[in-house]
């Protein structure tokens, strides 16, 4: 019955997701931008037409992180705890990570980091295209942690071989090292091709590592471009999935880093951003109350 009436039929096969979308009272996903993106063919996985027809009952509520777990002042994985009022201790974390990873020790050397799965969706093609050029022309350190497709693993190993004093490629996963990288790094790179919400940028904000992200999904919703005139914003963004745009966004961040007071303002804005579950829980509660007809 439900196949023949079209509710489950999907290109001569059965799609229970389609059925769920049709019969749900409300539909929610993990960011407002992603809720819009999935109404278009590129992101919609052939369900974009159905999602467009349900747009009045489609909601995007961004994920949060546990601020008790992700707390740089209490995180036992870090070399040294810190908060927004003790940013010198963040630099201490950088020095100790540089020592452990065998990189030249410098408190003022900008450290760019990625903690990621090594898969195409994370925008690694852009990194592969531009990172050699960036490292040749910029005085930076680049630290990577993650595993994934062998081609990317091998490429990052090669990058570390070509730039042994600038690159640390850690092709494994360690929660302790991940937390230390968030704490030590100055800039957190997330050039994702798509990212429904993203957790990495939220952790980075909490630890004062300024995100450089592509404008997609939750990255667009949570990272506000810094404006040096209003002193508002918590990171840097680029719009198109383009390697040169990524490079220019990263260079904007590096340029801001050269101005100590300006960079301190951006880091403070990042750490004062609130992406705990508090606001997201309030939105979910309101949605469920609307669903049950129990709104206040």
């Amino acid at each position: 019955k439900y196949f023949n009436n079209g509710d489950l039929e999907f290109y001569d096969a059965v799609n229970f997701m389609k059925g769920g979308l049709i019969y749900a009272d409300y539909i929610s996903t993990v960011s407002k931008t992603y809720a819009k993106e999935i109404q278009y063919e590129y992101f919609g996985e052939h369900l974009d037409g159905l999602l467009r027809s349900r747009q009045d009952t489609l909601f995007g509520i961004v994920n949060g992180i546990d601020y008790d777990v992700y707390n740089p002042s209490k995180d036992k994985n870090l070399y040294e705890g810190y908060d927004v009022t003790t940013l010198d201790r963040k630099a201490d974390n950088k020095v100790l990570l540089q020592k452990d990873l065998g990189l030249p020790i410098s408190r003022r050397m900008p450290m760019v980091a990625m903690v990621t799965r090594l898969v195409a969706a994370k925008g690694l093609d852009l990194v592969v295209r531009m990172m050699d050029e960036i490292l040749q022309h910029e005085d930076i350190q680049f630290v990577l942690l993650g595993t994934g497709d062998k081609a990317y693993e091998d490429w990052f190993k090669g990058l570390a071989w070509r730039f042994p004093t600038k690159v640390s490629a850690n092709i494994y996963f360690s929660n302790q090292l991940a937390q230390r990288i968030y704490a030590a790094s100055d800039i957190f790179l997330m050039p994702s091709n798509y990212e429904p919400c993203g957790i990495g940028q939220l952790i980075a904000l909490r630890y004062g590592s300024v995100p450089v992200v592509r404008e997609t999904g939750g990255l667009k919703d949570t990272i506000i471009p810094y404006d040096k005139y209003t002193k508002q914003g918590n990171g840097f963004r680029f719009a198109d999935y383009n390697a040169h745009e990524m490079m220019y966004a990263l260079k904007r961040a590096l340029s801001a880093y050269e101005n100590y007071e300006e960079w301190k303002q951006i880091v403070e804005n990042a750490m004062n951003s609130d992406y705990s579950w508090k606001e997201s829980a309030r939105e979910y509660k309101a949605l469920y109350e609307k669903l049950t007809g129990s709104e206040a």
Side-chain angles (χ1 to χ4, degrees), residues 254-273:
L254 291 169
S255 176
Y257 183 84
E258 294 302 312
N259 184 323
Y260 177 80
E261 290 301 322
E262 183 175 49
W263 190 255
K264 185 171 179 284
Q265 181 67 63
I266 300 170
V267 172
E268 289 175 356
N269 291 352
M271 295 185 74
N272 288 326
S273 301

Side-chain angles (χ1 to χ4, degrees), residues 31 55 73 79 91 97 100-101 155 184 195 215 254 258 291:
S31 70
Q55 61 185 286
S73 68
Y79 300 105
L97 183 66
D100 278 354
L101 296 181
W155 188 86
E195 194 74 57
E215 294 179 4
L254 291 169
E258 294 302 312
L291 179 68

Side-chain angles (χ1 to χ4, degrees), residues 206-278:
R206 179 72 164 150
Y207 285 71
S209 182
V210 175
V212 173
V213 306
R214 194 174 88 81
E215 294 179 4
T216 185
L219 299 179
K220 183 176 181 180
D221 289 351
T222 56
I223 304 306
I224 312 305
Y226 179 71
D227 185 324
K228 66 181 180 180
Y229 300 106
T230 65
K231 302 188 185 308
Q232 301 297 307
N234 58 13
F236 298 84
R237 301 191 322 210
F238 63 99
D240 296 323
Y241 190 69
N242 178 282
H244 285 90
E245 281 199 31
M246 180 199 75
M247 181 176 72
Y248 295 141
L250 182 56
K251 286 189 172 186
R252 288 198 302 275
L254 291 169
S255 176
Y257 183 84
E258 294 302 312
N259 184 323
Y260 177 80
E261 290 301 322
E262 183 175 49
W263 190 255
K264 185 171 179 284
Q265 181 67 63
I266 300 170
V267 172
E268 289 175 356
N269 291 352
M271 295 185 74
N272 288 326
S273 301
D274 186 358
Y275 289 107
S276 65
W277 277 107
K278 182 179 178 181

Side-chain angles (χ1 to χ4, degrees), residues 49-241:
L50 171 57
L51 290 163
R52 284 194 298 275
S53 75
R54 295 297 314 271
Q55 61 185 286
D56 292 339
T57 51
L58 172 58
F59 297 85
I61 301 175
V62 73
N63 282 335
I65 58 173
D66 188 327
Y67 270 33
D68 292 326
V69 173
Y70 296 105
N71 183 345
S73 68
K74 298 179 180 178
D75 190 337
K76 296 186 184 305
N77 289 307
L78 306 189
Y79 300 105
E80 188 170 345
Y82 64 95
D83 60 26
V84 71
T85 67
T86 54
L87 290 177
D88 280 349
R89 295 181 188 170
K90 178 174 170 62
D92 293 339
N93 279 275
K94 182 200 289 188
V95 167
L96 290 166
L97 183 66
Q98 288 168 333
K99 182 178 179 181
D100 278 354
L101 296 181
L103 292 170
I105 294 173
S106 169
R107 295 175 72 87
R108 283 298 297 159
M109 173 77 72
M111 180 183 288
V112 180
M114 295 184 74
V115 177
T116 183
R117 289 183 296 115
L118 302 182
V119 294
K122 298 302 181 181
L124 297 181
D125 290 342
L126 307 188
V127 179
V128 168
R129 173 68 180 83
M130 297 308 304
M131 192 53 72
D132 272 84
E133 182 175 337
I134 291 168
L135 289 166
Q136 286 170 18
H137 293 94
E138 300 289 343
D139 198 16
I140 67 171
Q141 292 175 345
F142 176 68
V143 177
L144 172 93
L145 174 65
T147 61
D149 293 348
K150 187 175 185 302
Y152 290 127
E153 291 185 353
D154 291 345
W155 188 86
F156 281 108
K157 289 176 185 176
L159 186 72
W161 179 80
R162 292 193 298 279
F163 298 94
T165 64
K166 288 188 171 185
V167 177
S168 175
N170 304 277
I171 310 301
Y172 60 94
F173 191 78
S174 159
N175 186 62
Q176 181 186 66
L177 181 56
Q179 299 307 103
R180 288 179 172 181
I181 290 172
Y182 283 116
S185 59
D186 301 293
I187 296 169
F188 193 79
L189 183 60
M190 279 186 80
S192 303
N193 188 10
Y194 60 91
E195 194 74 57
C197 178
I199 295 297
Q201 85 279 14
L202 303 183
I203 302 172
L205 289 171
R206 179 72 164 150
Y207 285 71
S209 182
V210 175
V212 173
V213 306
R214 194 174 88 81
E215 294 179 4
T216 185
L219 299 179
K220 183 176 181 180
D221 289 351
T222 56
I223 304 306
I224 312 305
Y226 179 71
D227 185 324
K228 66 181 180 180
Y229 300 106
T230 65
K231 302 188 185 308
Q232 301 297 307
N234 58 13
F236 298 84
R237 301 191 322 210
F238 63 99
D240 296 323
Y241 190 69

